[in-house]
């Protein structure tokens, strides 16, 4: 199934509750929550207190993207704050396998993110344990960047890798996705679409509806 996961990094944080209700009512399936620690990526975004405060506003899936060093230490807290899917970066985990186990033991769905330049080969052994793979289509750390064109071939290669192994794994793409290139990533094999600026800039409801039309 194709799902839209608007990234609240691009929302008006002073009116975050209304922003979330708006994308929920417009039909977005997930809420993408970017947690940044100022170490793994240069910026700091938000953390557990914010997640807790918005959890009661929507039943939508909380799709939590941890851009932090050694994310294993946050797993318990993230699940307690209502995370449904937890994505950790392969580049930020010394013990990736153990971190994935920790997420699954807590009852959340487990996902691994790869930076644009990270090779798919690092998924070779861990792939069967995953519910989702997040392919970064920009360098993580900021919203509003341009899609990196070579990511399209990487999406195709990952979809092929999943099919060859007869696995059922979602491919999420994150960064620079808009109404002009979403068809390209869908054709390549992505099925979970993160969009920050392309949803929250301008008319949010119309933007979500346009995405959903293309994704149907
Ligand atoms: C980037 C974040 C993204 C970001 C996407 O590090 O992981 O989720 O919010 O924003 P856009 O869609 O504006 O590129
Ligand atoms: Zn993200």
């Amino acid at each position: 199934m194709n799902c839209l996961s608007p990234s609240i990094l691009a929302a008006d944080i002073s009116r975050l509750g209304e922003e979330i209700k708006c994308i929920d009512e417009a039909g977005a399936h997930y809420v993408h929550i970017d947690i940044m620690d100022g170490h793994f990526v240069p910026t700091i975004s938000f953390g557990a207190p914010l997640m807790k405060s918005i959890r009661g506003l929507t039943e939508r899936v909380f799709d939590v993207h941890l851009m932090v060093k050694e994310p294993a230490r946050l797993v318990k807290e993230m699940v307690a704050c209502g995370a449904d899917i937890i994505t950790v970066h392969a580049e930020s985990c010394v013990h990736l396998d153990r971190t994935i186990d920790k997420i699954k033991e807590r009852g959340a769905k487990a996902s691994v993110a790869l930076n644009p330049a990270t090779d798919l080969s690092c998924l070779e052994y861990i792939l069967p344990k995953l519910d989702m793979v997040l392919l970064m289509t920009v360098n993580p750390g900021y919203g509003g960047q341009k899609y990196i064109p070579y990511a399209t071939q990487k999406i195709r290669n990952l979809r092929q890798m999943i099919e060859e192994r007869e696995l059922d794994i979602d491919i999420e793409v994150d960064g620079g996705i808009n109404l002009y290139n979403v068809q390209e990533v869908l054709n390549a094999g992505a099925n979970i679409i993160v969009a920050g600026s392309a949803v929250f800039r301008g008319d949010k409801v119309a933007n979500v509806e346009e995405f959903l039309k293309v994704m149907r």
Side-chain angles (χ1 to χ4, degrees), residues 28 34 82 109 126 129 152 201:
D34 289 303
K109 288 192 170 178
I126 196 91
K129 283 189 166 189
T152 305
R201 270 193 213 145

Side-chain angles (χ1 to χ4, degrees), residues 41 67 115-117 136-142 145-146 148 150 174-175:
V41 290
M67 283 162 278
N115 285 336
M136 287 304 309
T137 46
V138 299
N139 288 296
Y142 307 95
Q145 302 179 78
K146 266 213 170 105
I148 295 175
Y150 69 67
D174 185 6

Side-chain angles (χ1 to χ4, degrees), residues 19 28 36 48 82 84 88 105 132 139 158:
E19 299 269 270
M36 302 176 175
D84 298 295
V88 296
E105 277 160 19
M132 185 172 90
N139 288 296
L158 175 58

Side-chain angles (χ1 to χ4, degrees), residues 175-191:
I177 310 292
N178 53 45
L179 285 163
Y180 303 100
N181 60 17
V182 63
Q183 191 65 63
E184 176 177 329
V185 295
L186 290 168
N187 289 347
N191 68 309

Side-chain angles (χ1 to χ4, degrees), residues 7 9 32-36 63-67 89 134 136 140 172 174-175 194:
S7 164
L9 196 62
H32 186 80
I33 304 172
D34 289 303
I35 310 281
M36 302 176 175
D63 169 30
V64 178
H65 179 191
L66 295 178
M67 283 162 278
H89 272 260
L134 185 163
M136 287 304 309
E172 179 168 61
D174 185 6
V194 177

Side-chain angles (χ1 to χ4, degrees), residues 11-37:
D12 176 352
I13 302 297
S14 69
R15 303 172 39 251
L16 187 56
E18 290 164 51
E19 299 269 270
I20 289 172
K21 282 189 180 160
C22 182
I23 53 154
D24 174 336
E25 281 160 24
H29 311 85
Y30 292 2
V31 180
H32 186 80
I33 304 172
D34 289 303
I35 310 281
M36 302 176 175
D37 68 349

Side-chain angles (χ1 to χ4, degrees), residues 69-87:
K69 278 199 176 154
E70 286 305 335
R73 62 201 159 84
L74 296 183
V75 167
K76 186 177 170 196
E77 193 179 21
M78 289 293 122
V79 174
C81 293
D84 298 295
I85 306 171
I86 298 182
T87 297

